[in-house]
Amino acid sequence: MRWGFGLACVATLLGIASEASADVFRDPDTGFTFSQYNAPITTGSVYITFRIAIPSTAIAGQSYDAVLQVVAPNTAGWVGVAWGGSMTNNPLLIGWVNGGSAVASVRRSASHTAPQPYTGATLQVLSKGTKTNGTHWQFTAKCTGCTLFPTSGTNSKNLNPSGGNRFAFAYSRTKPSQPASSTSPINVHDLFNYWEHDFAAAKNSDFPELVARNLNFSSSAH
Ligand code: HEM
């Protein structure tokens, strides 16, 4: 397993040191072109980076797969993304590092209490996009069921493949208590915040091929 971050990533991290921004990142490891947002988590230059890739064939109103890549400083115990932009009634994709690999899990909660495993979405961790070094860890996971989901009552929400979608993130400095298990309990977050993620810049015309290529190296999680 290779631990080093590529130069592109270092440059990206340095490049965003002065301000948070939305931009595009071409990942040399997985081959995906990601739309990226750097979320500040301290008043210093410390960020969690959130990257999304979707198929260029994605159609508004229909479910489509999405690949999420998260780059977090080693001080982050777990990081979660709320696909519907709030804690309640939407898929919460959380991930953390476990030794040399990552564990990811989709959960859901109807209230501001510990979310429970959610079977309405499935994940595959892409191990080529999952690594750690002396300062950061990152995971990459494909989600089926994260772009069209029930909200409350009989309502559902679908994410616009051609514009911005309101996202939320949360992170905790405390690692999950059973880090090898995707159903591990987690502690409440130390920080949450919101952003608008640009899906128009997340489109990949070779999405199916890239998924297939990456899955040849993958392990599953749920
Ligand atoms: C043990 C796990 C968790 C507990 C006990 C918990 C608890 C809470 C509580 C009590 C609040 C209200 C805070 C306030 O009003 O100041 C809150 C807000 C929030 N939480 Fe969590 N949370 C957990 C996990 C998560 C996860 C995994 C996410 C994933 C992204 C998340 C995202 C958010 C967001 C975005 C808010 C802001 C309010 C909202 O948009 O609904 N939480 N949480």
Side-chain angles (χ1 to χ4, degrees):
M1 171 134 348
R2 193 163 58 83
W3 301 108
F5 270 169
L7 277 180
C9 183
V10 173
T12 303
L13 288 168
L14 292 176
I16 53 86
S18 55
E19 61 173 314
S21 60
D23 58 355
V24 165
F25 177 77
R26 290 183 180 79
D27 182 18
D29 294 332
T30 62
F32 286 103
T33 297
F34 290 101
S35 161
Q36 149 175 303
Y37 173 72
N38 299 298
I41 58 166
T42 70
T43 49
S45 302
V46 181
Y47 298 87
I48 300 176
T49 299
F50 296 96
R51 298 176 176 144
I52 300 276
I54 63 169
S56 54
T57 51
I59 295 171
Q62 295 183 13
S63 185
Y64 51 89
D65 288 352
V67 172
L68 171 72
Q69 184 171 77
V70 174
V71 185
N74 286 339
T75 48
W78 62 260
V79 176
V81 167
W83 292 76
S86 72
M87 180 167 166
T88 53
N89 297 318
N90 72 124
L92 307 174
L93 199 173
I94 61 177
W96 59 87
V97 69
N98 178 41
S101 59
V103 176
S105 168
V106 205
R107 305 197 181 180
R108 186 174 165 113
S109 182
S111 62
H112 287 146
T113 55
Q116 299 303 309
Y118 171 59
T119 54
T122 53
L123 291 182
Q124 280 174 301
V125 174
L126 307 182
S127 58
K128 276 186 88 180
T130 298
K131 58 189 181 181
T132 180
N133 69 10
T135 60
H136 289 76
W137 55 269
Q138 80 170 50
F139 73 92
T140 307
K142 185 189 77 151
C143 182
T144 302
C146 285
T147 60
L148 175 62
F149 45 85
T151 51
S152 55
T154 55
N155 297 327
S156 64
K157 179 167 188 171
N158 75 276
L159 302 187
N160 178 4
S162 303
N165 292 293
R166 179 185 149 101
F167 268 43
F169 79 89
Y171 99 100
S172 170
R173 290 187 290 269
T174 309
K175 283 185 177 232
S177 53
Q178 298 159 22
S181 167
S182 63
T183 55
S184 174
I186 57 168
N187 269 65
V188 66
H189 29 75
D190 293 303
L191 180 74
F192 59 78
N193 214 335
Y194 309 95
W195 80 100
E196 190 85 358
H197 202 100
D198 179 14
F199 273 43
K203 290 182 174 174
N204 286 247
S205 57
D206 50 353
F207 188 92
E209 292 78 14
L210 288 171
V211 167
R213 194 204 297 170
N214 279 281
L215 284 181
N216 287 334
F217 297 87
S218 81
S219 55
S220 295
H222 43 248

